[in-house]
Amino acid sequence: MIGARQGALSGFRRLIAGAMARDLCVFALPGIDVARARGIDLRAANLRLTITPRHASVLLFLGSLPKRLEDAAVVAYAQMPRPRAIVFLGAGDLPDGLHADVIGELSQAGLINALDELTKIISEGAFAAQVQEFDAPALQTRIEYTCPMHPEVVSDHEGNCPKCGMNLVPREISAGTAHAAHATPEQEPAMPPKSPPQATANHDHSKHTSAEATAKYTCPMHPEVVSDEPGSCPKCGMFLEEVKGEADHEGHDHHHDHSKHTSAEAAAKYTCPMHPEVVSDEPGSCPKCGMFLEEVKGEAEHEGHEHHHDHSKHASAETAAKYTCPMHPEVVSDEPGSCPKCGMFLEEVKGEAKHEGHDHSGNDHSAHQGHDAHASGASADGIEPQFMSMIELTEGQPVSPDGLIMEWIDVPFGPFFPGLPGGLGLDMSLDGDSVAKVSAHSLVSAGELLAEGATPPEKFVERLAAMSPLSPVSYRQLACLALESAAKQEVASSDATARAAAVERERIASHLGWLANLGAQTGFAMLERRATNLELTIRDANMDHIAALDPEIASLLARLRKSHMLRDKLSGTGHIDHCSATSGPVARASGKDDDARSDDATYIGLGFATVTGSGGDAAARLEQRLAEIEQSCELIAKAEHLSLPEPAKIGAASGEGEAVVETPRGAARLTLTLTDGMVTAADIGTPTAAHFTLIEAITQHAEIADALIAVGSLDLSPWEMRP
Amino acid sequence: MTIAIVLLAVVVGAYLVAVLERWSVHGQFSLSGPAVSALALLGRESLLARTPDRLFFEAGPILLLVAGLLGAAVIPLAPGLIITDLATGALFLNAALAYVLVALIMAGWGPNGAYGLIGGWRFLGQFIAYAMLIVMPITAVAMRAESLMNTQIVLSQTQLWNIAYQPLGFVLFVVAAMGLAWLPPLDLPSAPGDLAGGVEAEYTGVRLGILRLARMVIILVMASATVTFYLGGWLGPVLPAWAWSAIKTLIVAALMLFGGRYVPRVREARYLAISWKLGISLSLANILLVGVIALVVPI
């Protein structure tokens, strides 16, 4: 056994090895969702599923992994305690450096045979006199140093933070990760290179006093200390920081004090006129309402306090907003009252108004008010502005909407996280336990649609189906329809109905799989068990069998609809507007009448009518999927046959074809070009691609569990992403 | 002698709770299952996280076990079968179980990993939710018994068990006990779906074994405390006293373990809100009601 533990196998160890052979805890790659979709029931094989590789003794590969996932698999293996075993099911290769103890075929029988063999291997080889150290390139890490207060400061060696003088703390990062941008602390990684220069502050600097104009170096803690030369602060000894651009006011392209901006703020360049919380680096449309984003000309939210004294020099011409919430600076009102977000009394804002000659949008205003409230709050507490207060220590640090300043931690979730689809990676910055920043990526994104230039139609269909292991039938149907449209072939209506039934069966299975994931994510064990069993049964069930399962499905749906605690858990989480670019159940749950099936003659023949919900939150998406399971059961009952889509004989036809299929996750669209019976070009649009962009908006400021529920409720398939 | 018998009872009880737990989580009923798993854990490497807080990492699971055993010391299994029948036994139980919080925060902090860290701090929030709901129902129980001595509390239920005398307190106490033992749906610090094991995530091998054993002991202690306070402890006909304690404790443990299967995990904010707004009001109402009944009805 390759992953054996050091030690001679004798006496007590023999007993322990026997126990380990009977106590198989498995961690499945790329995920339990893929195992279900491939009809493999790990529990029926008497395996216990673990939630982390740390608790696992068997690493189970369900087929070979996409290239980008291999490193993660190596790390998962390295995290497992010895003795550890690898079982590989299916054809293909393991990631470099890993060797399977047992190889089996990718089926339930194959798994059970493999486990029988594994039991023998473990009971005889769990301990070995000689064991090899496991090492792989993916495990190489290096240490870099960063400032606890200024995460943008990164250095290769120990030292002090150039911004605040604190000791840099070591941090371990993967050696493979490119961190070139952080190479020198002098750089300002907080300013992404892609941000357009006009997006930075555009003040009329003729109003500034000359004292500031000549100030070149200042203390980060004592803004009153200014010097022409670099050096240390006479009050606290910290390094003086350079204030760039202050002296030179001709060019308005000025970057002063942007070092204080957080990346999130500095990156905020475009915002929605209706949803000021929507900010983006790039022009585009609002994910909430679809309006064009407007460029923010002034500064985005400033927490930087050295700005405060500048502003006091400005004359107040008019007072635009009079009351604001001390916690939610974006809340402004002409009248006293309480904050609609937190219920606190609004504070009066005196004198803060439009700056002469400044080109402010509404968003800027709110930012100034927030800033003002912050400063006045500090003085109201009796803290002198110069005092080394928490406010100043965390100056320039991002501040949560709740006003609490906490240390941010970066936590990766995925690609093998138990509460998320396998292959989906979420890198979250957590502020306490709420999400401050998130970036999502797929590690299993589909490769090229065409393997090598011209592809035979049969191979193309298989390839497309294999690319989406979570819903292969829908993509098979999509490929077949597009091929037929390109070859101008007609399908007999009975065949079309039988295929539609297969797609509907997969929809039921997929939604049940989503329910199983929800059960696993929320610790709702009964839901997970029942949905898993139903999904495994229905994936290959024939018409009669599906009809026989109807009562069982109906009872599960009724049970879920009655669950107050489930509704309570999901309500209000992950709200999505009906204007967003969504499709599938996610769109329909927010009231959007969007279903590719409603234009399909086959479905119209079966009496299809779009089911829509309302609410647009995770609870609505649950309702929607429950309703769709019912609807699909009815559609299958009306169809008389069920058969998997098979590509028709295309011959040597040429032409352009297009097809849309409503997959379980939404509408997928495929265009392809046939040349002499071979597929020569193809392009695909998948629902997950659109839903991926919603992740940021629906997880923002959410508690971590709520954020994961919100992401889970989108039912993403990372396999549908294109690189 | 008494100490040895009680410790043996704790070991056997914790093992049976582990059988129940395995049944509820993995759907496998197996009397030998936990023994096999425990042996397997002994054989696996007990990995040390890369840059741990070694003291907290090692001490967390052990302190958790100690807290559980301290709690077990004041639970009467039968007349005379108790390690120490303190005059303030019911209060001592609270004091001992306060270390569960400390131990979990240490276990979460120790490995220097994000999931554990969040899990540990989550339990701090959870403590705020359950702590008052443990103490206040016990107050009502002590009012009826006119004593904080656990044997006295059992004897006070000779006429009528407290589950019938103060059913509201029973419900509140069981829910709070589930929160203390972080059982689903209140398993926020380990939360498999959103923290991948949380405080348990970085423990392997023997250390994981201790952590799991400690949790079983805590579940056992909470179940037997429920029996002592509300189900008449060892009282019952025909069977010997210790058998009644055992049967009642296992039934309560099974209820607490299986209840969580049928509901999703509660959101932390929601748990806090319900515990304080609803739970504490009900606890106060319970104390008032019990006070009135104790004055009016002489049972």
Side-chain angles (χ1 to χ4, degrees):
Chain A
M1 186 172 160
I2 297 141
R5 192 177 177 190
Q6 179 109 36
L9 185 65
S10 59
F12 187 55
R13 286 222 180 92
R14 203 172 287 279
L15 179 69
I16 283 181
M20 282 190 290
R22 284 176 60 196
D23 185 63
L24 299 178
C25 301
V26 68
F27 193 71
L29 305 183
I32 188 79
D33 48 350
V34 176
R36 282 195 310 262
R38 293 191 169 145
I40 291 176
D41 186 354
L42 299 174
R43 282 205 181 88
N46 214 16
L47 288 169
R48 288 198 290 150
L49 306 178
T50 57
I51 41 178
T52 152
R54 288 264 191 238
H55 297 174
S57 58
V58 181
L59 194 62
L60 176 67
F61 285 82
L62 301 154
S64 65
L65 297 183
K67 273 276 166 266
R68 294 177 65 204
L69 211 52
E70 290 191 344
D71 281 355
V74 170
V75 172
Y77 179 70
Q79 286 179 334
M80 292 166 62
R82 286 174 221 249
R84 52 197 173 191
I86 294 180
V87 173
F88 187 89
L89 299 184
D93 293 321
L94 276 163
D96 287 343
L98 299 188
H99 305 280
D101 290 288
V102 186
I103 297 175
E105 70 173 86
L106 188 54
S107 68
Q108 188 72 18
L111 173 67
I112 288 174
N113 289 339
L115 291 178
D116 282 347
E117 204 178 321
L118 184 69
T119 307
K120 288 190 204 94
I121 291 176
I122 293 180
S123 53
E124 283 159 19
F127 292 90
Q130 292 287 314
V131 294
Q132 281 187 335
E133 278 300 307
F134 176 70
D135 202 9
L139 301 177
Q140 300 301 317
T141 57
R142 62 187 179 83
I143 301 289
E144 63 177 25
Y145 295 86
T146 181
C147 172
M149 286 296 160
H150 300 95
E152 69 275 19
V153 173
V154 178
S155 163
D156 287 339
H157 44 83
E158 288 182 66
N160 295 340
C161 174
K163 297 198 176 180
C164 64
M166 284 176 73
N167 282 334
L168 298 182
V169 293
R171 172 173 75 177
E172 190 175 25
I173 58 157
S174 166
T177 320
H179 269 258
H182 297 307
T184 55
E186 286 76 29
Q187 276 185 339
E188 295 293 335
M191 287 288 291
K194 62 179 173 181
S195 44
Q198 69 268 29
T200 56
N202 230 337
H203 286 252
D204 182 355
H205 285 278
S206 58
K207 298 283 187 279
H208 286 264
T209 65
S210 60
E212 288 165 74
T214 52
K216 287 187 177 162
Y217 293 90
T218 181
C219 172
M221 288 295 156
H222 302 94
E224 70 278 16
V225 174
V226 286
S227 161
D228 281 346
E229 291 163 16
S232 57
C233 172
K235 296 198 177 183
C236 64
M238 285 175 69
F239 285 111
L240 297 186
E241 252 184 51
E242 190 176 353
V243 182
K244 287 180 201 141
E246 273 294 350
D248 185 19
H249 281 270
E250 264 70 60
H252 285 249
D253 174 27
H254 98 146
H255 288 249
H256 81 287
D257 75 26
H258 278 273
S259 56
K260 298 289 179 210
H261 293 236
T262 66
S263 55
E265 288 160 11
K269 305 304 175 213
Y270 293 89
T271 182
C272 171
M274 285 297 151
H275 299 94
E277 68 275 22
V278 173
V279 284
S280 161
D281 276 351
E282 289 160 19
S285 57
C286 172
K288 299 200 174 182
C289 64
M291 286 178 72
F292 281 110
L293 299 184
E294 280 185 12
E295 195 179 330
V296 183
K297 294 216 184 81
E299 39 202 334
E301 285 191 55
H302 276 240
E303 292 296 337
H305 282 256
E306 71 255 71
H307 238 66
H308 183 57
H309 55 226
D310 299 6
H311 288 189
S312 62
K313 304 229 161 48
H314 292 292
S316 66
E318 54 179 291
T319 310
K322 287 177 180 165
Y323 296 89
T324 181
C325 171
M327 287 296 158
H328 299 95
E330 68 276 20
V331 173
V332 284
S333 161
D334 282 347
E335 290 163 17
S338 60
C339 171
K341 297 199 177 177
C342 63
M344 285 178 72
F345 282 111
L346 298 184
E347 275 183 15
E348 196 174 351
V349 183
K350 287 182 200 127
E352 184 65 37
K354 269 202 170 179
H355 299 291
E356 242 177 80
H358 283 219
D359 182 28
H360 279 252
S361 72
N363 207 27
D364 288 311
H365 257 289
S366 59
H368 281 287
Q369 266 121 24
H371 166 128
D372 197 45
H374 206 151
S376 62
S379 56
D381 292 339
I383 302 168
E384 292 173 47
Q386 291 83 8
F387 186 71
M388 197 167 151
S389 67
M390 198 61 206
I391 293 172
E392 289 192 355
L393 268 180
T394 53
E395 175 180 342
Q397 287 288 91
V399 174
S400 333
D402 58 9
L404 295 173
I405 297 164
M406 293 201 198
E407 202 165 310
W408 285 27
I409 46 174
D410 296 322
V411 191
F413 287 83
F416 304 128
F417 193 75
L420 292 171
L424 174 67
L426 292 181
D427 289 327
M428 296 202 192
S429 294
L430 297 179
D431 174 34
D433 64 354
S434 61
V435 179
K437 271 194 292 186
V438 63
S439 77
H441 50 98
S442 165
L443 288 152
V444 291
S445 43
E448 291 303 310
L449 286 178
L450 301 177
E452 58 285 313
T455 309
E458 295 77 18
K459 224 174 147 188
F460 178 73
V461 172
E462 296 302 331
R463 191 175 166 79
L464 201 63
M467 268 183 190
S468 26
L470 299 181
S471 51
V473 178
S474 302
Y475 281 89
R476 176 179 278 273
Q477 163 83 333
L478 181 67
C480 291
L481 288 178
L483 283 169
E484 283 148 15
S485 129
K488 318 267 180 311
Q489 287 182 339
E490 287 292 321
V491 185
S493 81
S494 65
D495 284 353
T497 312
R499 284 179 181 190
V503 172
E504 292 311 307
R505 181 181 69 183
E506 183 178 78
R507 191 182 319 280
I508 299 173
S510 174
H511 285 357
L512 286 168
W514 177 80
L515 285 173
N517 280 344
L518 178 71
Q521 198 181 35
T522 58
F524 195 164
M526 182 276 284
L527 169 60
E528 189 198 1
R529 190 67 54 86
R530 285 178 70 176
T532 299
N533 291 342
L534 274 172
E535 184 195 354
L536 286 165
T537 320
I538 211 163
R539 274 215 182 254
D540 300 312
N542 59 28
M543 298 287 287
D544 297 337
H545 199 169
I546 296 173
L549 286 172
D550 260 358
E552 208 178 321
I553 293 176
S555 99
L556 177 64
L557 301 192
R559 173 71 179 75
L560 292 178
R561 286 183 172 133
K562 273 193 298 195
S563 174
H564 293 286
M565 283 182 76
L566 191 59
R567 197 170 320 125
D568 204 47
K569 173 121 179 140
L570 302 181
S571 295
T573 303
H575 183 83
I576 294 171
D577 225 73
H578 70 281
C579 308
S580 314
T582 51
S583 74
V586 175
R588 295 191 285 274
S590 47
K592 205 161 149 184
D593 188 358
D594 170 273
D595 197 319
R597 289 175 289 177
S598 56
D599 306 327
D600 189 320
T602 311
Y603 279 99
I604 294 168
L606 291 171
F608 175 82
T610 312
V611 177
T612 56
S614 63
D617 58 1
R621 293 195 273 283
L622 169 70
E623 286 287 328
Q624 180 67 28
R625 292 197 177 96
L626 297 184
E628 289 187 12
I629 290 175
E630 265 175 352
Q631 183 187 36
S632 296
C633 285
E634 284 163 20
L635 289 172
I636 293 176
K638 281 184 202 157
E640 277 162 12
H641 303 284
L642 187 153
S643 66
L644 283 184
E646 291 297 338
K649 292 275 165 273
I650 301 294
S654 296
E656 302 259 320
E658 186 184 17
V660 184
V661 165
E662 184 72 22
T663 72
R665 293 173 179 79
R669 185 179 301 271
L670 176 70
T671 53
L672 59 80
T673 311
L674 265 183
T675 315
D676 300 331
M678 300 287 264
V679 183
T680 49
D683 191 27
I684 194 167
T686 60
T688 298
H691 294 161
F692 235 66
T693 57
L694 298 170
I695 291 178
E696 197 173 347
I698 60 171
T699 54
Q700 206 57 248
H701 309 317
E703 196 264 333
I704 178 70
D706 291 348
L708 290 168
I709 293 278
V711 174
S713 72
L714 295 178
D715 194 12
L716 301 168
S717 167
W719 305 87
E720 292 180 351
M721 293 299 288
R722 304 292 303 279
Chain B
M1 188 59 193
T2 312
I3 295 179
I5 294 175
V6 173
L7 280 183
L8 184 71
V10 168
V11 170
V12 173
Y15 187 83
L16 292 175
V17 170
V19 170
L20 290 172
E21 200 248 11
R22 191 188 179 91
W23 193 9
S24 77
V25 173
H26 296 286
Q28 302 171 340
F29 178 77
S30 152
L31 274 177
S32 65
V36 171
S37 293
L39 274 178
L41 278 180
L42 280 182
R44 292 203 186 112
E45 280 179 309
S46 187
L47 299 171
L48 199 58
R50 285 280 184 89
T51 50
D53 186 324
R54 188 73 190 263
L55 181 66
F56 278 20
F57 186 69
E58 304 282 8
I62 294 168
L63 181 61
L64 197 63
L65 186 58
V66 169
L69 291 175
L70 281 178
V74 293
I75 304 280
L77 304 181
L81 199 58
I82 178 169
I83 291 181
T84 170
D85 195 11
L86 288 178
T88 52
L91 196 66
F92 179 85
L93 185 72
N94 277 301
L97 293 172
Y99 285 100
V100 172
L101 169 70
V102 181
L104 270 198
I105 289 181
M106 283 165 82
W109 176 273
N112 195 13
Y115 297 147
L117 189 72
I118 298 170
W121 289 124
R122 261 190 183 187
F123 196 66
L124 182 60
Q126 183 155 335
F127 174 82
I128 296 172
Y130 75 69
M132 291 309 285
L133 300 186
I134 292 269
V135 179
M136 293 172 78
I138 292 182
T139 310
V141 168
M143 277 164 63
R144 184 189 176 199
E146 294 177 12
S147 168
L148 281 167
M149 197 183 266
N150 284 338
T151 45
Q152 210 51 54
I153 288 175
V154 172
L155 290 173
S156 75
Q157 302 173 61
T158 314
Q159 298 294 320
L160 181 68
W161 292 358
N162 272 336
I163 188 174
Y165 192 90
Q166 34 188 311
L168 186 57
F170 171 75
V171 173
L172 290 168
F173 186 81
V174 168
V175 172
M178 288 172 73
L180 189 148
W182 73 103
L183 286 170
L186 304 172
D187 55 343
L188 292 165
S190 58
D194 41 70
L195 287 180
V199 290
E200 290 181 6
E202 298 293 329
Y203 282 94
T204 59
V206 181
R207 293 188 184 94
L208 181 63
I210 296 175
L211 196 60
R212 291 203 169 146
L213 171 66
R215 180 154 184 235
M216 293 310 134
V217 171
I218 284 170
I219 296 171
L220 180 73
V221 167
M222 292 323 291
S224 52
T226 310
V227 170
T228 304
F229 295 149
Y230 293 96
L231 296 171
W234 66 76
L235 301 174
V238 189
L239 294 175
W242 62 267
W244 277 114
S245 290
I247 291 169
K248 290 176 190 172
T249 303
L250 286 178
I251 290 173
V252 173
L255 278 179
M256 297 203 307
L257 283 163
F258 281 86
R261 290 176 51 79
Y262 301 97
V263 282
R265 187 174 303 117
V266 177
R267 299 176 57 200
E268 173 140 45
R270 186 90 176 125
Y271 181 33
L272 279 164
I274 292 179
S275 292
W276 279 76
K277 290 178 186 164
L278 187 66
I280 290 187
S281 323
L282 289 177
S283 304
L284 285 171
N286 181 51
I287 290 176
L288 183 74
L289 257 168
V290 171
V292 171
I293 296 173
L295 284 177
V296 178
V297 192
I299 46 169

